[in-house]
Amino acid sequence: MNDTDQIEVTTEVLEGTTIIKPIGEIDLSRAPSLRHHLNEAQAAKPGTLVIDLAEVPYMDSSGVATLVEAMQIARRNKSRIILCSMQERVKSIFEIARLDAVFTIVENREIALET
Amino acid sequence: MAEMSRPPDVKLELFSQPRLLAGARALISNIAQRIGFSEIFCGQISLAIDEALCNIINHGYDKRTDGKIMLSIWAIENEPPSLRIVIEDQARQVDPATIQSRNLEDVRPGGLGVYLINEIMDEVKYEKREGGGMRLTMVKLLPTRENCGSVSAANTSQGLGQTHE
């Protein structure tokens, strides 16, 4: 994996909740890097994993597949995943793929933390 | 699907490398914007092209990075305004009839690409190329009140109001 294939991610851990914030486009080249960060976060089995997508201007089905994988891991761990702060272009792919009904998607991080 | 009688406005050849996808997306999105597609539609068209390229990289070339992919783009400004994109490769040939989108009820990672391409583009045709490889031809019409597109959010953004789901 090249350096340009690495996605920048910030991680915050609050009581029982981990917040992951990827920064940049998520496509076939960067989805493996996101998967790595999500796997690391989920290894600690947080009660809730919030994925803040405010700084993700684009996502393709590779990124979506990575989030579906994370959701399946969360279900096995009996934990939750909440997606928040989606940009319109990213929201569009979830709507077309009808995944907006599968994921818990909220407007912003504050609502995610209250959910 | 009618054949084009004139040469493409843009021809691009790239290797089957995921790191090159961003450049191809930006090119398509900019051309679509000049034809008059809304920002949401530009994003969706570039997504469809991205998905087609991903399928070639992952399945056609089995993730090899030295395969050639050829894009030809026609920016059609009238009769009706549209974007026509032909993507050709020299990868493994498959029967076009076997290229199908999966059932969305089956929520699992992967397999969404063909579904997204079919949902976003107005015309989609897969063919085997003579001499090897595949050809994918896609057309997206600029939405008008007469030919409203398929994605409600994009139509709303295009200023056409609600159409259909």
Side-chain angles (χ1 to χ4, degrees), chain A:
Chain A
M1 202 184 291
N2 298 321
D3 284 349
T4 53
D5 296 337
Q6 301 287 343
I7 192 157
E8 185 183 343
V9 169
T10 63
T11 304
E12 288 176 56
V13 180
L14 306 171
E15 292 167 22
T17 300
T18 298
I19 305 166
I20 289 253
K21 184 175 186 179
I23 299 168
E25 296 188 328
I26 302 172
D27 63 7
L28 184 62
S29 67
R30 286 183 171 163
S33 172
L34 176 64
R35 182 179 298 113
H36 169 76
H37 287 286
L38 290 172
N39 285 346
E40 272 193 342
Q42 290 187 294
K45 299 193 176 178
T48 303
L49 177 63
V50 174
I51 304 174
D52 184 339
L53 297 169
E55 300 293 332
V56 176
Y58 177 83
M59 185 183 295
D60 71 5
S61 69
S62 312
V64 171
T66 303
L67 296 182
V68 171
E69 277 178 33
M71 184 181 68
Q72 291 175 336
I73 291 169
R75 282 179 178 168
R76 284 201 296 274
N77 291 348
K78 298 191 179 357
S79 61
R80 299 188 308 159
I81 283 192
I82 300 174
L83 308 182
C84 72
S85 311
M86 269 187 197
Q87 296 190 22
E88 284 302 319
R89 277 191 174 194
V90 174
K91 195 180 287 179
S92 171
I93 183 174
F94 280 79
E95 288 171 353
I96 299 170
R98 297 178 206 156
L99 287 168
D100 50 336
V102 174
F103 281 96
T104 303
I105 301 173
V106 300
E107 201 68 26
N108 55 48
R109 186 186 285 212
E110 289 67 36
I111 297 173
L113 294 174
E114 290 167 3
T115 301

Side-chain angles (χ1 to χ4, degrees), chain B residues 111-122:
Chain B
L112 271 177
V114 172
Y115 173 82
L116 291 169
I117 293 167
N118 290 344
E119 278 294 295
I120 291 167
M121 304 305 280
D122 293 308

Side-chain angles (χ1 to χ4, degrees), chain B residues 94-124:
Chain B
V94 294
D95 178 356
T98 64
I99 303 172
Q100 294 178 346
S101 63
R102 71 169 169 83
N103 182 0
L104 288 188
E105 300 299 315
D106 176 20
V107 179
R108 60 176 167 81
L112 271 177
V114 172
Y115 173 82
L116 291 169
I117 293 167
N118 290 344
E119 278 294 295
I120 291 167
M121 304 305 280
D122 293 308
E123 296 178 33
V124 178

Side-chain angles (χ1 to χ4, degrees), chain B:
Chain B
M1 188 181 289
E3 295 299 317
M4 288 302 295
S5 56
R6 65 174 174 86
D9 296 301
V10 178
K11 287 191 83 166
L12 173 70
E13 188 171 298
L14 63 153
F15 285 110
S16 51
Q17 298 175 8
R19 68 191 176 96
L20 302 178
L21 293 173
R25 287 198 301 270
L27 173 70
I28 295 288
S29 184
N30 285 340
I31 293 172
Q33 191 177 31
R34 291 301 293 265
I35 295 173
F37 286 98
S38 69
E39 189 190 338
I40 289 286
F41 267 122
C42 291
Q44 291 181 352
I45 294 166
S46 54
L47 173 64
I49 282 30
D50 181 305
E51 297 296 342
L53 296 173
C54 285
N55 283 343
I56 294 170
I57 293 170
N58 283 336
H59 307 300
Y61 286 119
D62 289 325
K63 301 184 181 175
R64 263 177 44 215
T65 56
D66 60 348
K68 283 186 179 175
I69 304 174
M70 291 75 72
L71 266 85
S72 300
I73 305 164
W74 286 262
I76 302 163
E77 294 182 348
N78 49 39
E79 297 179 11
S82 57
L83 191 61
R84 180 190 184 90
I85 300 150
V86 175
I87 304 180
E88 296 173 286
D89 61 56
Q90 299 167 341
R92 184 166 50 89
Q93 289 191 320
V94 294
D95 178 356
T98 64
I99 303 172
Q100 294 178 346
S101 63
R102 71 169 169 83
N103 182 0
L104 288 188
E105 300 299 315
D106 176 20
V107 179
R108 60 176 167 81
L112 271 177
V114 172
Y115 173 82
L116 291 169
I117 293 167
N118 290 344
E119 278 294 295
I120 291 167
M121 304 305 280
D122 293 308
E123 296 178 33
V124 178
K125 182 183 178 186
Y126 294 91
E127 302 166 275
K128 287 183 182 176
R129 292 174 72 216
E130 282 182 26
M134 299 295 292
R135 177 185 300 112
L136 167 58
T137 303
M138 295 174 282
V139 176
K140 182 70 181 177
L141 303 172
L142 184 70
T144 64
R145 292 199 180 278
E146 287 73 36
N147 68 7
C148 286
S150 59
V151 183
S152 60
N155 286 340
T156 304
S157 172
Q158 196 81 37
L160 299 173
Q162 290 293 334
T163 52
H164 58 274
E165 296 297 325

